[in-house]
Amino acid sequence: MELIISNLTKTYSNGVRALNAISLTIPQGMFGLLGPNGAGKSTLMRTIATLQDADLGSIHLDGIDVLNDKQAVRERLGYLPQDFGLYPRINAETMLDHIAQMKGIGNKSERKELVEALLNRVNLFKDRKKALGTFSGGMRQRFGIAQALVGSPSLIIVDEPTAGLDPSERNRFYNLLSEIGENTIVILSTHIVEDVNTLCSNMAIICMGEVLMQGKPKDGLAMVNGKIFQKSIEKSDLDQYRKDYHVISTKLISGKLSLRIESEEVPGNGFEPASADLEDVYFSFISKKVDPITI
Ligand SMILES: Nc1ncnc2c1ncn2[C@@H]1O[C@H](COP(=O)(O)OP(=O)(O)OP(=O)(O)O)[C@@H](O)[C@H]1O
């Protein structure tokens, strides 16, 4: 199973080119789509989910022409959008039953069995009678996964799912996603590098509507390995360092600024070699397009 995106291009009516000839090959398993705000992630996710059209290009899911055979894709798709609205007064069980009915599962006892199995799967069975409006952020996201799983989809899209979750809920959500990723394509769109590091076997970095990198996280690491150096500096010296080096990220630690730079040569001047992580890969790529330093 494979999702193949070729030359996908979309310009909104206000002139913003959200997707600029995007080409990606997404295999089975968890695929991380990383990019800063405004990179085009949601536009891409909505287009794959058949909710909006592209101007140019194609998407194929195992031979199905996604842009032209929307119904066939919808039958195989589970989607957890960024802004997932819930009816606050309806309980989880009733809502899921309703969604299953809408997705064409007409047989009542079959639906009951499915709803029970899904609620168990996302660990919400004991909360099934609670109104959705009383759910915590993590419970809402797990419910979102349950509704995405109705109909046993072969393609699941989750758009920035862990924003606002506390660490234990995030962990639970991670475990659930990685279980699902074992036999489907799961596309996880996020700007949280850690999510991709923990979960994804393949990834892409997009920025300003373009693919800057695609491959395995370890391929990305190999690209920057040995080129990342760090130094703790005074905040007031930052501008000078930015002129002299390719600064990819900064972190404020106890009032001092920890600077990470990318350099082909050993920079000297008190810089220490640092072991590269996926955040370095991310910043290395996006710094070629946008200014990643926001302090
Ligand atoms: N309906 C729209 N009309 C006009 N411009 C839009 C529309 N939707 C998105 N854009 C613009 O297209 C670009 C890509 O937006 P998109 O929401 O796809 O990015 P994103 O990577 O999902 O960002 P975020 O993480 O902030 O959601 C942005 O510049 C955005 O302002």
Side-chain angles (χ1 to χ4, degrees), residues 9-20 38 43 55 208-209:
T9 300
K10 170 76 181 178
T11 305
Y12 284 110
S13 54
N14 59 359
V16 172
R17 178 161 285 207
L19 304 177
N20 190 4
T43 303
D55 303 328
M208 296 175 78

Side-chain angles (χ1 to χ4, degrees), residues 10-19 33-46 52 82 159-160 189-191 206-209:
K10 170 76 181 178
T11 305
Y12 284 110
S13 54
N14 59 359
V16 172
R17 178 161 285 207
L19 304 177
L33 185 70
L34 266 177
N37 289 333
K41 302 181 299 295
S42 295
T43 303
L44 181 59
M45 298 298 95
R46 286 196 302 265
Q52 71 181 64
Q82 201 171 350
D159 200 353
E160 305 209 358
S189 152
T190 180
H191 56 262
I206 70 166
C207 188
M208 296 175 78

Side-chain angles (χ1 to χ4, degrees), residues 258-270:
S258 171
L259 203 67
R260 282 171 99 85
I261 65 163
E262 186 176 2
S263 172
E264 293 289 336
E265 285 126 38
V266 177
N269 191 19

Side-chain angles (χ1 to χ4, degrees), residues 2 17 36 39 48 51 58 63 65 77 91 110 128 152 158 197 205-206 222 232 241 249 283 290:
E2 225 174 29
R17 178 161 285 207
I48 301 169
L51 297 173
S58 66
D65 181 341
L77 173 76
N91 75 41
E110 188 188 334
R128 68 193 180 283
S152 309
V158 283
N197 206 14
I205 298 172
I206 70 166
S232 182
Y241 277 93
S249 65
F283 286 125
V290 293

Side-chain angles (χ1 to χ4, degrees), residues 202-213:
N202 288 282
M203 63 175 284
I205 298 172
I206 70 166
C207 188
M208 296 175 78
E210 289 175 18
V211 177
L212 305 182
M213 175 262 167

